[in-house]
Amino acid sequence: MRRMLTALLIAAVLLTIFSPLAKADEVQEFIKLNEPKDNLMTSSSKVLLAGETVPNASIEVLVNGRQEVRTLSVGAAGIFMTQVPISSKENIITVKASFPSGGRETVTRKVFLMESESKLPELTSLIQTLKSFLIFK
Amino acid sequence: MSRDSILGWTLIVLVVISLFLSFTIWSQVPGNFSAFKMGQEDKKVEPIYTVSPEKILVYFGNSFSTLLKPSSPLYDETWSIARELLKTRSNASPELLGNISRESFKRVRGLEVFFPTSLPANFLKQLFNIEGVDFTALDGKLINSFLLLDDNALSVYLVDSEDNLYRIGKGSESPELNETIKDIDSLDPPLYANLTADVNLKVVGDVYVSLSLYELPVYTLKREQISEEQIATKFFPDFSITRRIQERDGTVIYTDGQQGLRLYADGAFEYSMPVSRDTKKAQSFYESFNTAIDFIADHGGLPANAYLASYEEVSDPSGTAYVFKFKISANGFKVVNAHDFINITVEGGQVRNYNRKPSFSTKQIGILDLMTPVEALNTAVSTKNIKVIDDIYPAYVLENEELKPVWVVETNGVEVIIHSLSE
């Protein structure tokens, strides 16, 4: 009897762990930040923030710890997209996703604001040369 | 204060409010247009304008881009500079560089000019008068767009219908291009982002969406009254040998025994002229296109917002015929459910068939706020169960004699219309 109960218990545990529902939940909770790329250098005072997450999640965006854009509600496509203002030379963009299940996940990106393109001509030129070499050759 | 003066001041205030509201509505319109209107007849049409880009993607070099539509400020100037640079800076035999990756152009200033339909490479060479470049390597290729990138030197590229990138020119940097991009940037245009998704929804290819709100005008259509004689005299200069037959449904037929013209009650007409073997002369695609354009210019004119939507090459033992189909855009956007406005067949250097839909003029009756593209995608996923998208763009639909802005989601080659929720 005890053996049977133990076997049933193990079976129940295994079913819970490997059931499709459990797997689906596991896969569902994610946040994928496509933009901005980490360590992005830009001369623009705003950066594009775009990514994917679970449908019906909400997205909170912080720049250097301050909320700069309103909380985004994610729809059925799971896509979010907005532009975020930056003003410091070094900016930490934190994206917090709150999932319908109550779970949360956070992603951060570092973005550098260059003063102006003209002040860094050599660097810009070098980057462009390297990029064109890598892209087109 | 007397009662009359109170009433007078009230009237003045109401007039001022009315003028202010009218100004606000009109100032929000991205551009006026006269869709479906008969073009100025007998006016020579430059063939290049019928392939004017449906959009010009502008790369600012700082990860942002914008899209210029025909109604956008600086569109004409940008298009003019782009075709001049394509003509003068194409100086090398086409070199295949592999598949295009627009992601890699984010740090480079440039323009990508998208044609309304894919065009044969050799046709493009003739149309833009590109000299000094041998296009033999591009025989049979259809070109979707061309690119001008200023990466300390101006490079010219073509992108074919399979997204292959070919370099056809490289040289010194272009101050004109840089100036144009700076001018566009200084206007603070709506920013566009490359939409990427592959989990809940798969985005195939490069899809650009604006982060700004979309406010587009709604138009009502009014049929243009054109007299029967006015059309018939264009095809039959000598009425003494022309017969006129009226059918019961109101259709009128003109014929001189050889060519025929059928005028429908709604203003549409069809012209046909059999091409005899003796009068046929071999024409290339480019020459046939010019024949078609000249014929349209002389027979009803080509509306300013008409564009080459598609074409066909029909070959049989007696020769090759080309069918050119023109559509009308509204405010620079496609009218997705409208039929071809003009359908013309050129065979052996002569026009064999010419069909034309009735002409309309338009009047703006309001402005509609479209949902954001992300909201349109949410609607597409939740209500149409769409899982893969090839493109999403604003367009117009023709409903109850009105042109209304909508979102169009392209999925597996099918256009799905997403209406605004406020309707």
Side-chain angles (χ1 to χ4, degrees):
Chain A
M1 188 67 180
R2 183 177 278 182
R3 275 183 185 174
M4 269 181 75
L5 275 172
T6 313
L8 275 171
L9 195 68
I10 290 167
V13 168
L14 286 173
L15 268 172
T16 311
I17 293 170
F18 296 108
S19 73
L21 195 68
K23 264 197 155 177
D25 279 341
E26 200 179 292
V27 174
Q28 271 174 5
E29 292 204 346
F30 75 96
I31 177 166
K32 190 177 170 192
L33 198 57
N34 298 321
E35 294 285 346
K37 300 280 184 273
D38 204 16
N39 296 316
L40 171 78
M41 286 188 282
T42 181
S43 57
S44 175
S45 59
K46 54 204 169 190
V47 288
L48 170 69
L49 188 129
E52 290 172 88
T53 185
V54 181
N56 305 318
S58 63
I59 300 291
E60 193 184 343
V61 184
L62 306 171
V63 181
N64 294 332
R66 287 201 323 195
Q67 188 166 357
E68 295 285 359
V69 288
R70 63 180 174 80
T71 303
L72 307 169
S73 299
V74 180
I79 295 169
F80 58 90
M81 187 176 269
T82 189
Q83 59 189 45
V84 180
I86 52 167
S87 52
S88 309
K89 282 185 180 173
E90 193 177 320
N91 302 275
I92 305 290
I93 296 177
T94 309
V95 182
K96 291 180 179 176
S98 303
F99 306 119
S101 63
R104 291 170 74 90
E105 202 170 314
T106 302
V107 186
T108 57
R109 293 281 189 272
K110 198 179 270 187
V111 176
F112 297 95
L113 177 62
M114 322 253 280
E115 281 184 15
S116 81
E117 284 176 77
S118 56
K119 289 192 179 174
L120 291 160
E122 295 85 356
L123 182 61
T124 312
S125 171
L126 182 67
I127 290 167
Q128 285 182 340
T129 312
L130 277 169
K131 277 187 179 293
S132 58
F133 178 78
L134 290 168
I135 295 159
F136 301 123
K137 294 288 172 186
Chain B
M1 196 181 270
S2 70
R3 189 169 170 267
D4 284 349
S5 65
I6 291 170
L7 286 172
W9 278 110
T10 311
L11 187 66
I12 289 167
V13 169
L14 286 172
V15 168
V16 169
I17 291 170
S18 160
L19 286 171
F20 170 72
L21 290 174
S22 305
F23 169 76
T24 312
I25 286 172
W26 283 104
S27 63
Q28 285 175 352
V29 180
N32 297 320
F33 85 106
S34 53
F36 297 88
K37 214 168 184 175
M38 285 288 267
Q40 198 180 333
E41 288 186 40
D42 304 328
K43 189 182 168 191
K44 175 82 180 153
V45 177
E46 282 296 325
I48 213 159
Y49 290 110
T50 62
V51 295
S52 291
E54 64 169 355
K55 60 186 179 188
I56 301 174
L57 183 58
V58 183
Y59 300 98
F60 291 119
N62 60 359
S63 88
F64 280 106
S65 315
T66 193
L67 272 182
L68 297 183
K69 301 291 291 180
S71 56
S72 307
L74 292 178
Y75 169 90
D76 290 331
E77 294 85 341
T78 310
W79 169 217
S80 170
I81 285 165
R83 56 178 192 265
E84 186 59 28
L85 290 173
L86 175 68
K87 180 187 166 183
T88 55
R89 297 299 191 95
S90 300
N91 54 16
S93 292
E95 181 192 352
L96 177 61
L97 299 168
N99 259 38
I100 187 169
S101 163
R102 289 182 177 88
E103 180 79 17
S104 55
F105 304 145
K106 280 185 168 178
R107 303 270 150 232
V108 186
R109 285 179 175 231
L111 301 174
E112 184 167 8
V113 178
F114 291 85
F115 296 115
T117 185
S118 305
L119 300 169
N122 277 308
F123 171 73
L124 213 64
K125 178 176 156 63
Q126 290 172 293
L127 193 66
F128 286 88
N129 198 16
I130 302 169
E131 291 168 352
V133 180
D134 182 10
F135 268 36
T136 315
L138 296 174
D139 272 351
K141 298 285 179 196
L142 296 173
I143 305 301
N144 277 356
S145 63
F146 69 88
L147 264 158
L148 303 160
L149 296 181
D150 200 332
D151 196 11
N152 293 330
L154 180 77
S155 298
V156 186
Y157 304 91
L158 295 178
V159 183
D160 75 7
S161 53
E162 288 163 356
D163 272 348
N164 291 314
L165 185 71
Y166 300 87
R167 181 160 50 208
I168 59 164
K170 186 154 190 172
S172 56
E173 60 184 315
S174 160
E176 310 99 294
L177 181 70
N178 275 313
E179 280 304 312
T180 306
I181 293 171
K182 273 184 193 163
D183 288 347
I184 297 166
D185 201 6
S186 68
L187 290 176
D188 200 16
L191 297 174
Y192 279 72
N194 193 348
L195 187 69
T196 321
D198 60 5
V199 182
N200 302 301
L201 178 73
K202 192 169 173 60
V203 178
V204 182
D206 290 299
V207 177
Y208 284 82
V209 291
S210 170
L211 302 173
S212 308
L213 290 172
Y214 286 80
E215 288 179 334
L216 291 174
V218 181
Y219 300 97
T220 183
L221 300 181
K222 190 183 165 200
R223 192 168 298 164
E224 270 199 335
Q225 295 298 326
I226 300 157
S227 74
E228 184 190 310
E229 288 76 22
Q230 199 182 335
I231 299 170
T233 49
K234 290 286 172 192
F235 296 92
F236 301 95
D238 185 1
F239 268 96
S240 64
I241 53 162
T242 307
R243 279 182 65 204
R244 181 183 182 279
I245 305 153
Q246 179 140 23
E247 293 187 340
R248 280 186 183 175
D249 62 357
T251 306
V252 176
I253 299 164
Y254 285 85
T255 180
D256 60 4
Q258 194 181 16
Q259 54 183 336
L261 177 68
R262 181 179 280 263
L263 293 157
Y264 294 96
D266 65 356
F269 61 81
E270 285 175 22
Y271 166 79
S272 58
M273 165 86 172
V275 179
S276 70
R277 195 170 286 181
D278 308 334
T279 57
K280 272 187 190 177
K281 58 176 181 180
Q283 270 197 335
S284 66
F285 182 91
Y286 175 71
E287 290 164 332
S288 298
F289 185 67
N290 279 315
T291 303
I293 294 290
D294 289 344
F295 188 88
I296 296 167
D298 288 341
H299 299 83
L302 196 70
N305 45 358
Y307 64 93
L308 179 68
S310 60
Y311 52 85
E312 281 172 49
E313 186 179 319
V314 185
S315 294
D316 60 33
S318 68
T320 303
Y322 296 97
V323 184
F324 300 103
K325 297 170 184 180
F326 295 86
K327 287 194 172 189
I328 300 284
S329 63
N331 202 23
F333 297 94
K334 283 182 184 173
V335 182
V336 283
N337 62 344
H339 296 292
D340 298 329
F341 182 63
I342 292 172
N343 185 316
I344 185 165
T345 307
V346 179
E347 184 184 357
Q350 292 168 62
V351 171
R352 194 178 72 190
N353 292 99
Y354 174 49
N355 300 340
R356 188 174 175 126
K357 289 279 180 280
S359 296
F360 290 91
S361 61
T362 57
K363 186 185 166 196
Q364 188 190 325
I365 52 167
I367 286 182
L368 192 69
D369 290 336
L370 282 183
M371 58 179 103
T372 66
V374 172
E375 285 169 338
L377 288 174
N378 289 335
T379 309
V381 171
S382 59
T383 63
K384 317 269 180 183
N385 200 26
I386 289 170
K387 297 287 178 201
V388 178
I389 70 154
D390 302 316
D391 204 355
I392 175 167
Y393 49 85
Y396 277 88
V397 287
L398 186 57
E399 281 176 2
N400 306 321
E401 301 289 294
E402 281 183 7
L403 284 168
K404 290 178 183 171
V406 290
W407 280 105
V408 175
V409 173
E410 277 186 15
T411 174
N412 300 319
V414 179
E415 287 176 337
V416 179
I417 294 168
I418 310 286
H419 283 86
S420 175
L421 294 174
S422 60
E423 274 188 88

